[in-house]
Amino acid sequence: MVRAGEDPIPTGRAPGGTGPAGFRERFLQGEPVETGVRTSILDSWRRCRTLGLSPDQTDLPFREDFEPDGRLVRAAVPVLDRLQATFAGSAMNISVADASGTVLLRRFGEASLARMLPAVQSVPGFVFAEQVAGTNGIGLALAERRPIRVYGAEHFAERSQGSACRALPVRDPLSGRIEGVLCFGYPRSAEDPALDTVIRKAAQAIERRILGQSSARERALLRAYLESGAEVAAGLRHRIGVRELAVEMSPRDRAILMEKAAELIAHAQRARVDVPLPDGQRVTLVSRPMTSASGVEGVAIEAVVPGPSPRRPLAFPQQTHGPLGLPAEPAVATFLPFSEAVPGVAPGQLSLPPPPGHLPGAVHGPAVVGVEDGTAGDSATDEHSDSPSPVRGLVMVGEPHVGSYALAARRRLELLSEAGVRIGTTLDVRSTARELAESAVPQLADFVTVDLPEAVLRGEEAADPRSDLRRTVVHGIHDDCPFHPVGKQVDYGPTMPQSRCLTSGQAVLEPDLKAAAGWFAQDPEHSAQLLSHVHSLIAVPLVARGTVLGVAGFYRAQDSPPFGDDDRSLAQELAARAALSIDNARRYTRERAMVLALQRSLLPHGVPDQDAVEVAHRYLPAESDVGGDWYDVIPLSGTRIGLFVGDVVGHGMLSAATMGRLRTAARSFAELDFPPDEVLTHLDKLVGRLDREVPGAADAGTIGATCLYAIYDPTTQRCTMARAGHPPPALVRPDGTVWFPDLPAGPPLGLGGLPFEAAELDLPENSRLVLYTDGLIEDRHRDVDVVLDQLRATLAQANGTSDETCEAVLDTVAPAHPCDDIALLVARTHALDPRRMATWDLPADPALVSEVRASATRQLADWGLEEAAFAAELVLSELVTNAIRHGAGPIRVRLLHDRTLICEVSDSSNTAPHLRRAASTDEGGRGLFLVAQLTQSWGTRYTQHGKVIWAECGLEGAA
């Protein structure tokens, strides 16, 4: 049998021990029954086992001191009489119990059942609380604080195995407090889904009658106020109704007035309070305790305001008596619906009978009362007075506890409003969890803990939210409460409220932790320490979009009142809002981690081995999102080094992917030995093509970039740079002088059709070249010029290594909370020792090839590289011969002794050789093949005056 929104109830005993009786038997024998039993039933069984209850127990506690004619009994008797008539002739057992589980009333569909059933099932006074009776309808409804059903073997006690029951908490509609339980008991064979509707309507009828009793008490208070009207009006000149009193007030002013009135009723004291309103007006509220003829104690709140001008006498509309049927009085009572008088204010002051068409069980709105008294003053005196006459009017009348409910409702609305603004201000999981705790303390709870799985903290989904929970937040009114510290793994047993709420997905309320079954079972020592500080708990699962993210615990201190169901609803609403923000933060954390991982995988993982510069680099992602900043260090031919820094527009995965493509292309263009301005031209075309090819990229604003490319040559100590819309570099001379070279700006990459221009600078040895992206200097809270001055001062004082310079710049110049990525590259220049360079200029004469070989051999001997001489002679012979045959003079030969032996031959021709496979009949075409076999790499680079053909020979075996 399955009903919408509920778990199926297994009916009857299934063969093989798989029905309710089989599961119960396995549980009693200590076997696991995690599946096949409803969560609420299994939790109740566990609590019963923790309490040491026996299923064979037949005796229950009996109370002789229960109240046989209390408010709940008076409200329930007519309803149970009608139910008895409805189920006449059936085996239905109808009972009403109070909030402690003590049965107050019994009714039977068949009168003979009262004689046939044992006293525990037929006589009022027996206690069916779960702590003493085990799993049953009344006890479980009180423990779960919601409608429940128990079927056959789901009962813990043997005596109830053949019966079924439905139970529903009955609440005071005004306070929301559980007053008792309505329970239907019947044979297991009489199970009928229609009973859900019957018991719900019956409980709503009882709640309406409870509310009617409250209304009668307030009517008595109002009657007492009207009867004492002459005394109250003594010495006053006018009395005015609420509608006229607040005719010129804004809704906000009226709300402030009514809230203060509710607060005065809650305090139940004689007082006079001046209430300043935002518009500058001041209204005096007077609270007057009073007692009705029937002994009902309450408070009347009156407002005193300056009277009208003598030239503008008040005109009171004649109004009829309200629907309470009061006797004729000197004053006329005007009843205004609360929602009409003060829009948006929570209910609570004066309850009226339900209007026609009122839904059963719904809490109707209260009323505000205005009183007009035409006999309070002398009209002749009023019209000739020199000063405005004071005006006095009734604002509210009610019992103190009703005012407390209204005030608490207002506070709940304010708390929810504040939480909506306060929770979720960041996209950080831990910060959002702390915002939840800070929003709830002290308005709702004295202490709040938040436990999240380690996976959620990393931005992932937890496979099992009950495992690997980590204490993420502990926050309270003071710090000496012995909760588990932040970072500690917390484990909750199956009977703990936190485990139960994670399993059911609903908040679990434990008003009194000392009476909570299972609270001491797991860690009695720690639980006892906690109970010396706290006494009431609401455990709420953090659920968002169907995913359980963790659990929040709301605790009340010993000197605070215990939590109620309204508090549970508020805690669940707060947790639901916070869970959405936590889930947003978790998803953002996951996506940011993915983008950051992609970003870092596409950036250089190390610095290449080279001697041209000492390089250090840093990459600092933005706090809000990851962008497309990048850098690169590329060894080039002739011991030169290429330095890149760039920034792709936008943030997120597409920017990171675009950055990877752009960096790969930039590296390829650089390794082709293009000069900086040509590299930027090729990159500009690439970005423009990406802008056209990627769907939606232009709309997303991520296709477009800035870039700066510098080539430093340690043999000449000159640096060639070009930039495309990028900030200029900072250059630090060896003496500490810092300047920002005025490089041609160039357009950002992707605009197309505009040229780039390179500039050449001298960089003496031990100069520092500092490249960075705009995230370092551009911030909406700082002026760029001020930041550049700060950067200049930092670089002038940083005399350490490149790494130390990077740290100094990030510590002093970078914003504390960067909103954009920062890429930083610091290169300290070195110069190649002139003694490790050899150069020969010669005319285009083939006869000089042998002389070049001989000179090169002698130079290699001086460097101690005799073992490299054979390969170098062959390479030089081929390159010089090609230059003489196919190039144009003059010809220059240069040997560079660095980490490798570099052979360079330059001429003034732009014709470059290329490697090809020579046929067996070809007389030539094999020279470059030999060069490629004898060297690590070779290539061609173009200059303003021709080209250079170079080859690098390894020195592994050389000295």
Side-chain angles (χ1 to χ4, degrees):
M1 179 171 58
V2 182
R3 281 186 294 276
E6 298 182 345
D7 299 328
I9 301 178
T11 56
R13 298 176 181 266
T18 59
F23 286 121
R24 176 175 173 276
E25 186 66 26
R26 288 168 53 191
F27 175 82
L28 294 177
Q29 293 177 1
E31 300 180 17
V33 287
E34 298 297 333
T35 59
V37 180
R38 289 184 292 145
T39 301
S40 59
I41 300 298
L42 182 58
D43 288 342
S44 179
W45 287 356
R46 287 169 173 164
R47 294 194 294 270
C48 294
R49 182 166 58 185
T50 302
L51 292 167
L53 299 180
S54 171
D56 299 326
Q57 180 180 355
T58 56
D59 296 332
L60 293 179
F62 181 80
R63 292 181 54 189
E64 296 181 354
D65 58 345
F66 70 91
E67 190 174 6
D69 192 31
R71 186 167 71 144
L72 177 61
V73 173
R74 294 197 303 273
V77 164
V79 178
L80 263 64
D81 289 343
R82 289 197 298 271
L83 289 174
Q84 184 176 26
T86 301
F87 293 106
S90 70
M92 182 66 70
N93 184 342
I94 308 164
S95 60
V96 170
D98 64 15
S100 67
T102 303
V103 175
L104 306 178
L105 292 171
R106 289 279 190 185
R107 293 289 188 274
F108 302 94
E110 179 61 50
S112 60
L113 286 176
R115 299 185 297 270
M116 298 171 54
L117 293 174
V120 71
Q121 295 181 359
S122 59
V123 177
F126 285 96
V127 180
F128 281 83
E130 187 186 63
Q131 295 90 330
V132 295
T135 307
N136 70 92
I138 295 174
L140 191 54
L142 290 173
E144 297 285 335
R145 308 180 73 85
R146 62 185 177 89
I148 62 94
R149 64 192 187 281
V150 184
Y151 184 88
E154 291 180 335
H155 290 86
F156 190 75
E158 290 287 350
R159 65 175 178 272
S160 303
Q161 298 297 293
S163 63
C165 64
R166 274 176 167 76
L168 188 66
V170 176
R171 302 177 185 272
D172 182 341
L174 199 59
S175 67
R177 184 178 58 244
I178 292 179
E179 296 291 329
V181 177
L182 174 64
C183 183
F184 287 0
Y186 45 89
R188 194 174 61 187
S189 58
E191 174 67 36
D192 186 351
L195 291 176
D196 279 339
T197 302
V198 176
I199 193 172
R200 176 171 50 83
K201 290 184 176 181
Q204 290 171 351
I206 296 175
E207 290 174 348
R208 287 199 302 274
R209 293 183 59 81
I210 292 175
L211 185 61
Q213 295 178 34
S214 298
S215 301
R217 295 171 63 88
E218 292 181 346
R219 284 196 295 269
L221 284 175
L222 178 60
R223 183 178 291 107
Y225 176 83
L226 295 176
E227 290 172 351
S228 63
E231 299 177 6
V232 176
L236 297 180
R237 306 196 175 183
H238 287 288
R239 183 173 287 237
I240 186 170
V242 172
R243 187 186 298 274
E244 289 74 28
L245 179 68
V247 67
E248 296 183 356
M249 285 186 179
S250 66
R252 182 181 179 186
D253 291 346
R254 292 198 299 270
I256 293 174
L257 198 64
M258 296 305 171
E259 180 182 358
K260 192 63 180 179
E263 185 175 348
L264 290 173
I265 290 177
H267 286 86
Q269 295 177 350
R270 185 181 298 274
R272 181 185 182 94
V273 179
D274 286 338
V275 183
L277 301 176
D279 60 2
Q281 185 180 5
R282 300 181 70 87
V283 176
T284 300
L285 292 182
V286 179
S287 64
R288 179 163 63 92
M290 55 187 300
T291 304
S292 71
S294 59
V296 179
E297 296 182 353
V299 179
I301 307 297
E302 297 171 314
V304 179
V305 295
S309 170
R311 298 182 179 87
R312 299 178 60 189
L314 287 173
F316 298 118
Q318 298 297 320
Q319 306 212 16
T320 59
H321 291 190
L324 299 181
L326 297 176
E329 300 287 346
V332 179
T334 303
F335 297 94
L336 306 178
F338 200 79
S339 59
E340 176 185 347
V342 189
V345 179
Q349 275 61 53
L350 183 63
S351 301
L352 300 179
H358 182 72
L359 294 177
V363 180
H364 51 75
V368 176
V369 180
V371 177
E372 303 166 7
D373 189 349
T375 64
D378 187 343
S379 59
T381 304
D382 294 341
E383 293 186 8
H384 299 286
S385 175
D386 295 333
S387 60
S389 303
V391 177
R392 190 182 189 107
L394 178 64
V395 177
M396 284 184 187
V397 62
E399 296 181 75
H401 71 276
V402 179
S404 301
Y405 299 149
L407 199 61
R410 164 70 68 175
R411 297 290 184 260
R412 291 188 182 96
L413 290 175
E414 292 175 350
L415 177 57
L416 287 175
S417 176
E418 179 184 353
V421 176
R422 190 171 185 178
I423 299 176
T425 59
T426 69
L427 287 172
D428 179 77
V429 173
R430 290 179 174 85
S431 297
T432 305
R434 173 159 287 278
E435 289 168 349
L436 165 63
E438 292 174 346
S439 298
V441 175
Q443 293 91 334
L444 173 62
D446 296 318
F447 301 93
V448 175
T449 63
V450 180
D451 305 321
L452 302 175
E454 186 67 29
V456 172
L457 295 174
R458 295 194 305 265
E460 305 168 2
E461 290 187 9
D464 183 1
R466 291 171 295 183
S467 64
D468 197 26
L469 282 173
R470 301 281 175 175
R471 179 57 46 85
T472 306
V473 173
V474 177
H475 182 67
I477 54 177
H478 50 76
D479 299 330
D480 59 351
C481 198
F483 290 104
H484 291 304
V486 172
K488 180 179 175 61
Q489 182 172 358
V490 290
D491 296 318
Y492 296 112
T495 59
M496 297 286 283
Q498 288 85 349
S499 291
R500 289 156 50 198
C501 80
L502 287 172
T503 303
S504 65
Q506 298 294 323
V508 172
L509 168 62
E510 292 290 357
D512 184 4
L513 285 174
K514 293 181 180 179
W519 176 255
F520 290 92
Q522 184 169 337
D523 191 350
E525 181 179 355
H526 181 255
S527 298
Q529 292 177 357
L530 274 180
L531 285 183
S532 65
H533 294 77
V534 298
H535 72 105
S536 190
L537 164 67
I538 300 175
V540 188
L542 298 172
V543 183
R545 303 178 179 95
T547 301
V548 180
L549 303 173
V551 61
F554 299 84
Y555 295 85
R556 286 268 175 91
Q558 292 289 353
D559 55 351
S560 299
F563 285 118
D565 285 286
D566 287 343
D567 299 315
R568 178 177 63 173
S569 300
L570 179 59
Q572 185 143 352
E573 176 67 21
L574 281 176
R577 297 188 181 194
L580 283 174
S581 297
I582 290 175
D583 191 49
N584 290 338
R586 178 191 66 82
R587 291 167 178 251
Y588 168 77
T589 300
R590 179 188 61 190
E591 294 177 3
R592 185 175 188 273
M594 293 172 57
V595 175
L596 190 57
L598 174 63
Q599 173 92 334
R600 293 193 181 280
S601 69
L602 296 174
L603 290 174
H605 293 175
V607 177
D609 295 331
Q610 46 80 35
D611 296 324
V613 291
E614 173 197 327
V615 179
H617 51 80
R618 295 291 187 276
Y619 170 73
L620 185 64
E623 285 191 352
S624 59
D625 205 350
V626 179
D629 290 19
W630 58 283
Y631 59 87
D632 209 346
V633 180
I634 306 171
L636 302 176
S637 63
T639 70
R640 298 172 306 140
I641 195 75
L643 303 175
F644 270 110
V645 66
D647 183 4
V648 175
V649 176
H651 297 84
M653 187 73 73
L654 183 57
S655 294
T658 302
M659 178 275 292
R661 300 175 70 177
L662 191 60
R663 175 179 171 254
T664 301
R667 191 176 189 90
S668 300
F669 295 144
E671 289 178 344
L672 290 174
D673 271 326
F674 292 144
D677 52 338
E678 291 190 23
V679 170
L680 295 184
T681 299
H682 289 295
L683 291 177
D684 180 60
K685 294 178 180 178
L686 172 65
V687 173
R689 185 166 63 252
L690 293 177
D691 196 9
R692 295 188 298 270
E693 291 178 354
V694 178
D699 296 336
T702 56
I703 303 302
T706 65
C707 183
L708 189 149
Y709 180 38
I711 298 177
Y712 172 70
D713 189 344
T715 64
T716 62
Q717 300 179 41
R718 295 186 67 81
C719 183
T720 306
M721 306 183 207
R723 63 187 181 115
H726 202 82
L731 299 178
V732 187
R733 293 189 177 93
D735 61 0
T737 305
V738 181
W739 90 102
F740 299 92
D742 187 17
L743 297 180
L749 300 178
L751 294 182
L754 298 176
F756 298 95
E757 185 178 352
E760 195 171 83
L761 303 172
D762 289 321
L763 289 184
E765 187 173 11
N766 287 323
S767 297
R768 281 172 291 165
L769 177 62
V770 181
L771 310 180
Y772 52 87
T773 55
D774 57 2
L776 178 68
I777 62 172
E778 294 183 6
D779 184 77
R780 62 177 178 269
H781 304 295
R782 304 186 300 171
D783 183 81
V784 174
D785 292 334
V786 174
V787 178
L788 289 176
D789 290 340
Q790 190 177 9
L791 176 60
R792 186 194 308 272
T794 301
L795 293 176
Q797 297 173 2
N799 297 320
T801 64
S802 297
D803 264 312
E804 293 171 345
T805 302
C806 282
E807 292 297 330
V809 170
L810 291 182
D811 290 342
T812 59
V813 182
H817 303 283
C819 57
D820 195 7
D821 291 12
I822 297 175
L824 178 63
L825 191 66
V826 176
R828 183 184 294 272
T829 63
H830 298 306
L832 185 63
D833 190 341
R835 292 172 297 179
R836 299 172 74 91
M837 295 184 291
T839 305
W840 298 277
D841 293 319
L842 59 150
D845 185 357
L848 299 177
V849 174
S850 59
E851 295 182 10
V852 172
R853 287 201 304 267
S855 300
T857 301
R858 289 192 297 271
Q859 183 63 61
L860 293 177
D862 293 340
W863 289 341
L865 303 179
E866 291 87 350
E867 295 186 9
F870 175 74
E873 287 183 15
L874 290 177
V875 169
L876 286 175
S877 296
E878 177 62 28
L879 297 183
V880 172
T881 301
N882 281 340
I884 293 173
R885 288 183 178 180
H886 307 292
I891 297 173
R892 170 170 288 187
V893 177
R894 188 169 71 160
L895 292 181
L896 303 176
H897 179 197
D898 192 43
R899 292 174 178 266
T900 60
L901 177 63
I902 302 173
C903 305
E904 294 183 345
V905 177
S906 60
D907 65 80
S908 59
S909 171
N910 290 326
T911 303
H914 61 278
L915 184 65
R916 66 183 180 87
R917 181 175 295 277
S920 58
T921 56
D922 290 341
E923 294 183 1
R926 297 176 178 84
L928 289 180
F929 179 78
L930 291 176
V931 171
Q933 297 300 312
L934 293 172
T935 61
Q936 292 181 347
S937 60
W938 72 278
T940 303
R941 69 173 180 270
Y942 292 93
T943 66
Q944 294 180 350
H945 307 290
K947 67 177 184 297
V948 177
I949 303 176
W950 55 270
E952 291 187 9
C953 301
L955 300 179
E956 291 80 2

